[in-house]
Amino acid sequence: MAVEEEGLRVFQSVKIKIGEAKNIPPYPGPNKMRDCYCTVNLDQEEVFRTKIVEKSLCPFYGEDFYCEIPRSFRHLSFYIFDRDVFRRDSSIGKVAVKKEDLQKYHGKDTWFPLQPVSADSEVQGKVHLELRLSEVITDSGVINHKLATRVLECQGLPIVNGQCDPYAAVSLLGPSRSEAKKTKVKRKNNNPQFDEVFYFEVTRPLSHTKRHFDVEEEDVDKLAIRVDLWNASNLKFGDEFLGGVRVPLRVLGQAGVHDAWYFLLPRENGGKTVKVEELGSLRLNIVYTEDHVFPSEHYTPLRDLLLHSANVEPVSSSTAHTLGEVCREKQEAAIPLVRLFLHYGKIVPFISAIAHAEVNRTQDPNTIFRGNSLTSKCIDETMKLAGMHYLQVTLKPIIDEICSEHKPCEIDPVKLKESENLDTNRENLRQYVDRIFNVITTSGVRCPTVMCDIFFSLRESAATRFQVDQDVRYTAVSSFIFLRFFAPAILSPNLFQLRPHHPDPATSRTLTLISKTIQTLGSLAKSKSANFKESYMAAFYDYFNEQKYADAVKNFLDLISTSGKWDQKSIETPIMLKEGFMIKRAQGRNRFGMKNFKKRWFRLTNHEFTYHKTKGEGALCSIPIENILAVERLEEESFKMKNMFQVIQPERALYIQANNCVEARDWIDILTKVSQCNRKRLSTYHPSAYLNGHWLCCKLSADTAPGCTPCTGGLPANIQLDVDGDRETERIYSLFSTYMTKLIKMQEACGSKSVYDGPEQEEYSSFVIDDPQETYKTLKLIVSAVQTLEQQHTKYKRDKFKKTKIGSQEHPIGDKSFQCYIRQQSESSTYSI
């Protein structure tokens, strides 16, 4: 969610790694252990909760949390709670980091001491007050000074026990006085509009307790207005304190008027004194990001440079590749680049270009795509974004089952429990591996098109570069789909949104063993057992040393590395995707031919769909993949036959009956998969056949009449992402700005390489520069675009600083900003009575 600020949008996001807590105080009972969980809060609003770690005073959570922050906040807070035997939750301690302090801890593992939790210190929200001092002449002619305190409204008060029934208590405080007045209670409203005024006498006309009958006036600097917000409670424990503010009357200045918003603050000296070291500590890694995004036209120069990257020769001199060279970690560059290229539909040519360049630099086919290069990081990120739904559909049911069944699967004899049997555990694990292997290798038709197109490019680059190695076309793809996609998702399902939390230790161990096995199965290594350091894993893998597993992997890799967008016929060997007997209706190619039903052998490759009289004979009919306009089910009423579907071509439809409903679905899925990127795909079709001179569905007589029903579309040809292109370009600008010194150093490296044709200088050896002149030109354009945006940001900050008014609704007065506000007011002389 973006906050609009005069043509500029502000986005806030936070990524948190909740590590572990240590030295939690023991439970005051004989057991002493605690069942603890941790929450993440924006102020007092809980936005995430970890799992419960049982029976530990040093609980390990290992959980990640990311969110877009939809509102303003003051503190990012973390609470450790203990659930006791009665399932009641009691707070142990908290960590509260002010928003302005988040950058201090950016991306660093930090141990934070837990602070005590007190109802008097848990506050959020702000209040709008207006103070006005005026002179009142009494009937006797004496001048009194009265203070009108107006409580206008509050915003962002916390919800207490499911609701908020706030009221404000207003007091005038002085050395010898304290009187309080209250507003009405506003029921079920955490943004209450009070708009009530309270009057207080600031000076007293006469003191009859003193000897001298003179006018007694208190020092205004010693007086203050205190406004406390309370939640009206029907419970016997009384009302809950929501926060308060103390406003010294010296803020009135010479005009005697003060109108401002205030942050609510904790009650002074309200908390109990607890030694911090007694509560333990919490390890966190916090990455808080705030993006200030200008209107789109500001990003045009930089965005155009980035999107043109795939067309730059060599690609190492492109803007996107340069970002990967200067960033401290490739992941930093990959995340916004992938999102930007996906948004503009240019991810495949970009990844193809950088992958091709990397393959050409690789000397050994066994090390292909094994490093943490920009290519591998970009493909990882693309798979996470494009393949998340695919991953969930494929793995989530079996992962959920494993996590709920808790079957023992430990096969290390050293770690085996006394009550467990090694053979039983091996069989449990073997069954899980078999099931996961099967769901993966039969999921090819669901693999997103964008991933298939990338895998096709990897396969072709690798096969061209290493023509002698017949398996490299498989290992180039398996190194991503198995090693960096399925295996990590099995190992840590919580990181891939397959499970809400990190699995318990026993289940985590089971998933680790499954992941290792699946990874090895997918690697197609020559000697599988040699891949395992542990003898028990090598022995277990003997179960899977069968050719059927290698064949299943190759068939799966063949399917997901085909592409409907490329001219495969000239550069790709035909790959058989599916074949089998089905019944087809004769198409009546001859004028007097009978349109009857015949059993035929059907064969589908990534080039064509054919049928034959029997297996092994020549094709009776061949339909090029690019001629398939749609693949849809055929309504049963057409021929009074079940399990029928139609393959629609430019001139006619081929009607086919599968042997059963599952086979019909499989054929429809895979035919849709290979043809879904055809340019002339139909948007509508006829769900029934054309018989006796008309369409049975819409009764139209022309056999060329357009379809009457929208096509189902099968699997989506392109992924739809909620990506903001301008925001991603802003993030890339921010990275270039952060690493500007490296950009300058890279320019120096280009200059050095251009004029010095000798051994590479060590200080420049970290950069990949294939063409110094082209790279230098690109760097010059990048620096110019970044500097232009830098000027826009500087101007925005300067203008905003000028317009910033402390005490406004956007910038309430807090405990620190009060002194700044006083300094602003000090230009006028202090009000005196």
Side-chain angles (χ1 to χ4, degrees):
M1 178 177 173
V3 179
E4 296 283 345
E5 287 186 8
E6 299 179 7
L8 179 138
R9 293 173 298 142
V10 181
F11 296 87
Q12 303 174 99
S13 63
V14 66
K15 184 169 65 174
I16 303 163
K17 285 184 180 294
I18 304 170
E20 59 189 307
K22 66 179 180 181
N23 301 329
I24 300 294
Y27 189 75
N31 186 16
K32 298 192 181 300
M33 292 292 105
R34 292 185 183 269
D35 299 338
C36 296
Y37 64 90
C38 178
T39 68
V40 181
N41 296 55
L42 291 175
D43 296 320
Q44 286 177 262
E45 182 183 2
E46 182 181 318
V47 293
F48 178 73
R49 179 180 295 198
T50 70
K51 63 178 180 182
I52 297 173
V53 177
E54 297 181 346
K55 300 177 182 178
S56 176
L57 299 180
C58 296
F60 175 80
Y61 299 106
E63 300 207 27
D64 293 72
F65 172 66
Y66 172 85
C67 77
E68 295 281 336
I69 300 175
R71 62 170 177 83
S72 60
F73 68 100
R74 291 165 61 189
H75 293 89
L76 184 64
S77 302
F78 305 84
Y79 291 77
I80 298 289
F81 286 94
D82 176 34
R83 174 160 289 184
D84 65 17
V85 292
F86 301 106
R87 302 189 67 79
R88 291 179 303 194
D89 301 343
S90 56
S91 57
I92 296 173
K94 70 171 182 179
V95 172
V97 185
K98 291 182 179 179
K99 179 182 175 181
E100 57 265 29
D101 292 337
L102 287 171
Q103 285 301 323
K104 294 180 186 177
Y105 310 105
H106 187 84
K108 303 172 186 173
D109 268 10
T110 307
W111 283 99
F112 292 90
L114 290 171
Q115 304 292 337
V117 177
S118 163
D120 291 332
S121 67
E122 305 299 295
V123 301
Q124 69 179 62
K126 52 191 176 183
V127 61
H128 187 190
L129 304 176
E130 181 186 286
L131 308 181
R132 188 179 298 273
L133 193 63
S134 56
E135 294 182 345
V136 179
I137 303 176
T138 63
D139 294 338
S140 60
V142 178
I143 297 176
N144 285 353
H145 293 90
K146 286 196 174 182
L147 177 69
T149 302
R150 184 181 178 192
V151 182
L152 289 99
E153 61 179 310
C154 290
Q155 285 187 356
L157 297 179
I159 305 295
V160 181
N161 297 323
Q163 66 182 57
C164 186
D165 298 328
Y167 68 89
V170 185
S171 307
L172 178 65
L173 307 177
S176 58
R177 68 166 76 182
S178 177
E179 50 183 312
K181 302 177 181 182
K182 297 180 181 179
T183 67
K184 295 176 182 177
V185 176
K186 299 292 182 179
R187 297 289 176 184
K188 298 180 180 178
N189 192 343
N190 68 329
N191 296 305
Q193 301 274 342
F194 293 111
D195 201 9
E196 294 189 39
V197 183
F198 303 96
Y199 294 95
F200 298 92
E201 287 188 355
V202 174
T203 59
R204 305 173 191 173
L206 291 172
S207 173
H208 298 284
T209 60
K210 301 245 179 167
R211 292 182 185 176
H212 304 290
F213 292 88
D214 56 348
V215 175
E216 188 179 289
E217 298 175 349
E218 291 196 14
D219 185 359
V220 174
D221 285 347
K222 297 179 181 178
L223 297 178
I225 281 289
R226 177 158 189 92
V227 179
D228 290 327
L229 272 297
W230 296 84
N231 181 53
S233 173
N234 296 323
L235 302 175
K236 63 180 180 180
F237 301 109
D239 299 344
E240 293 100 348
F241 177 72
L242 300 179
V245 60
R246 185 178 184 277
V247 185
L249 294 198
R250 67 177 184 274
V251 301
L252 290 166
Q254 192 171 21
V257 178
H258 175 67
D259 184 339
W261 283 84
Y262 281 85
F263 279 127
L264 294 174
L265 300 173
R267 199 196 314 233
E268 296 171 359
N269 301 321
K272 297 179 181 179
T273 56
V274 177
K275 292 182 180 179
V276 173
E277 60 269 18
E278 293 180 357
L279 298 179
S281 54
L282 179 65
R283 180 166 61 86
L284 302 167
N285 188 307
I286 305 170
V287 176
Y288 170 74
T289 306
E290 193 171 285
D291 297 321
H292 294 79
V293 182
F294 290 106
S296 188
E297 60 270 15
H298 289 77
Y299 298 103
T300 301
L302 182 58
R303 182 173 55 240
D304 289 350
L305 282 173
L306 289 161
L307 295 178
H308 186 62
S309 293
N311 303 320
V312 175
E313 287 288 346
V315 72
S316 60
S317 61
S318 68
T319 303
H321 193 277
T322 300
L323 181 66
E325 288 298 296
V326 298
C327 281
R328 184 168 57 89
E329 295 180 3
K330 304 294 184 188
Q331 185 79 0
E332 278 185 303
I335 293 173
L337 283 175
V338 165
R339 294 176 68 86
L340 181 73
F341 282 109
L342 275 170
H343 179 68
Y344 288 100
K346 296 192 175 186
I347 189 66
V348 175
F350 169 64
I351 287 183
S352 299
I354 60 174
H356 184 69
E358 181 174 331
V359 169
N360 286 340
R361 284 194 293 268
T362 304
Q363 301 302 317
D364 182 356
N366 294 317
T367 63
I368 195 166
F369 300 126
R370 289 301 171 93
N372 288 321
S373 63
L374 182 64
T375 304
S376 60
K377 290 299 183 184
C378 283
I379 296 175
D380 286 353
E381 195 61 29
T382 304
M383 291 192 299
K384 281 182 184 177
L385 291 170
M388 193 58 72
H389 178 69
Y390 169 47
L391 201 61
Q392 289 177 334
V393 169
T394 306
L395 288 184
K396 193 175 191 326
I398 181 67
I399 294 292
D400 285 343
E401 190 177 321
I402 292 169
C403 291
S404 61
E405 286 183 342
H406 300 291
K407 285 185 179 179
C409 294
E410 182 56 70
I411 58 173
D412 182 354
V414 177
K415 296 182 179 179
L416 206 67
K417 295 179 181 177
E418 290 185 7
S419 59
E420 294 177 355
N421 179 276
L422 185 59
D423 291 336
T424 303
N425 287 11
R426 277 180 181 157
E427 180 60 18
N428 290 340
L429 185 62
R430 188 194 65 76
Q431 288 181 10
Y432 279 148
V433 170
D434 251 337
R435 290 177 60 191
I436 286 186
F437 179 81
N438 287 331
V439 298
I440 290 174
T441 53
T442 58
S443 70
V445 293
R446 292 193 294 272
C447 185
T449 304
V450 69
M451 287 171 60
C452 294
D453 289 344
I454 289 170
F455 295 151
F456 168 77
S457 175
L458 300 182
R459 173 195 182 107
E460 291 304 307
S461 292
T464 304
R465 175 78 171 88
F466 302 104
Q467 295 181 13
V468 178
D469 191 326
Q470 293 300 310
D471 282 339
V472 74
R473 61 178 182 167
Y474 294 115
T475 55
V477 178
S478 67
S479 63
F480 286 102
I481 194 70
F482 280 102
L483 187 67
R484 307 171 84 110
F485 188 62
F486 283 120
I490 296 166
L491 183 65
S492 304
N494 56 306
L495 299 183
F496 290 81
Q497 299 174 27
L498 299 179
R499 295 289 295 174
H501 300 297
H502 190 71
D504 62 80
T507 305
S508 184
R509 173 64 176 165
T510 298
L511 295 174
T512 299
L513 296 171
I514 295 171
S515 179
K516 279 185 175 184
T517 313
I518 291 294
Q519 182 177 317
T520 308
L521 277 167
S523 68
L524 292 171
K526 301 292 189 298
S527 175
K528 301 294 177 63
S529 298
N531 286 351
F532 296 107
K533 296 177 182 177
E534 310 93 339
S535 58
Y536 62 85
M537 282 300 297
F540 174 69
Y541 196 81
D542 286 339
Y543 285 122
F544 306 98
N545 265 329
E546 294 182 38
Q547 189 59 36
K548 68 175 184 178
Y549 290 101
D551 291 343
V553 170
K554 287 185 176 181
N555 288 337
F556 169 67
L557 295 175
D558 279 337
L559 178 55
I560 66 170
S561 59
T562 60
S563 170
K565 293 182 179 178
W566 303 70
D567 182 15
Q568 311 98 315
K569 291 185 179 179
S570 61
I571 57 175
E572 190 183 62
T573 305
I575 298 167
M576 200 283 293
L577 301 176
K578 190 173 178 65
E579 58 184 348
F581 277 112
M582 290 188 291
I583 296 172
K584 76 154 187 85
R585 182 175 184 257
Q587 299 183 83
R589 294 177 183 277
N590 299 322
R591 172 172 285 189
F592 301 106
M594 293 290 291
K595 294 187 177 181
N596 55 357
F597 288 88
K598 295 182 179 180
K599 188 175 183 180
R600 292 289 182 255
W601 179 262
F602 285 84
R603 191 169 187 270
L604 174 67
T605 72
N606 53 328
H607 291 177
E608 58 187 355
F609 182 47
T610 59
Y611 61 80
H612 315 247
K613 193 168 186 178
T614 60
K615 183 178 181 180
E617 288 194 6
L620 296 175
C621 175
S622 173
I623 304 172
I625 294 299
E626 56 265 29
N627 283 1
I628 298 177
L629 307 184
V631 183
E632 298 287 347
R633 294 186 181 277
L634 189 69
E635 289 183 352
E636 193 175 322
E637 66 176 26
S638 298
F639 301 105
K640 309 301 180 187
M641 297 167 68
K642 293 180 180 293
N643 306 320
M644 290 203 71
F645 63 94
Q646 52 184 320
V647 179
I648 304 171
Q649 308 165 68
E651 296 180 357
R652 63 178 67 84
L654 174 61
Y655 300 132
I656 303 171
Q657 183 189 35
N659 296 319
N660 54 61
C661 61
V662 174
E663 192 176 87
R665 184 198 62 192
D666 288 346
W667 274 104
I668 292 171
D669 283 349
I670 197 165
L671 281 163
T672 301
K673 175 69 182 173
V674 296
S675 65
Q676 63 186 341
C677 294
N678 290 347
R679 294 180 180 177
K680 295 182 180 179
R681 272 188 66 86
L682 296 177
S683 57
T684 58
Y685 78 107
H686 293 283
S688 293
Y690 184 79
L691 292 174
N692 302 322
H694 68 274
W695 294 99
L696 298 181
C697 44
C698 57
K699 310 305 179 187
L700 292 175
S701 58
D703 60 351
T704 56
C708 57
T709 303
C711 286
T712 56
L715 298 162
N718 294 298
I719 58 166
Q720 298 298 317
L721 286 174
D722 183 18
V723 174
D724 186 322
D726 294 336
R727 183 180 182 186
E728 301 309 324
T729 313
E730 166 64 26
R731 286 181 169 177
I732 292 170
Y733 147 75
S734 182
L735 287 171
F736 273 133
S737 181
T738 300
Y739 295 110
M740 181 58 74
T741 54
K742 279 196 174 183
L743 283 173
I744 303 302
K745 195 167 185 178
M746 199 171 178
Q747 281 186 315
E748 294 173 0
C750 290
S752 172
K753 286 175 179 285
S754 296
V755 299
Y756 177 69
D757 187 19
E760 191 168 39
Q761 296 187 34
E762 187 175 346
E763 60 178 319
Y764 301 136
S765 61
S766 59
F767 301 117
V768 174
I769 301 174
D770 296 320
D771 188 328
Q773 291 185 339
E774 284 300 316
T775 306
Y776 187 87
K777 290 177 185 175
T778 300
L779 286 164
K780 193 173 181 181
L781 292 170
I782 293 171
V783 171
S784 175
V786 170
Q787 287 177 342
T788 301
L789 280 166
E790 189 73 56
Q791 291 169 2
Q792 292 290 336
H793 279 276
T794 302
K795 183 178 183 299
Y796 161 74
K797 290 175 184 175
R798 185 170 57 245
D799 292 347
K800 185 177 181 182
F801 180 77
K802 288 180 180 178
K803 295 175 183 177
T804 297
K805 181 183 176 184
I806 299 176
S808 64
Q809 186 173 355
E810 297 77 19
H811 301 281
I813 299 171
D815 49 354
K816 288 185 178 179
S817 57
F818 180 76
Q819 295 302 323
C820 185
Y821 178 84
I822 292 296
R823 284 196 297 273
Q824 286 184 355
Q825 303 301 310
S826 64
E827 296 177 2
S828 58
S829 57
T830 306
Y831 180 87
S832 57
I833 299 176

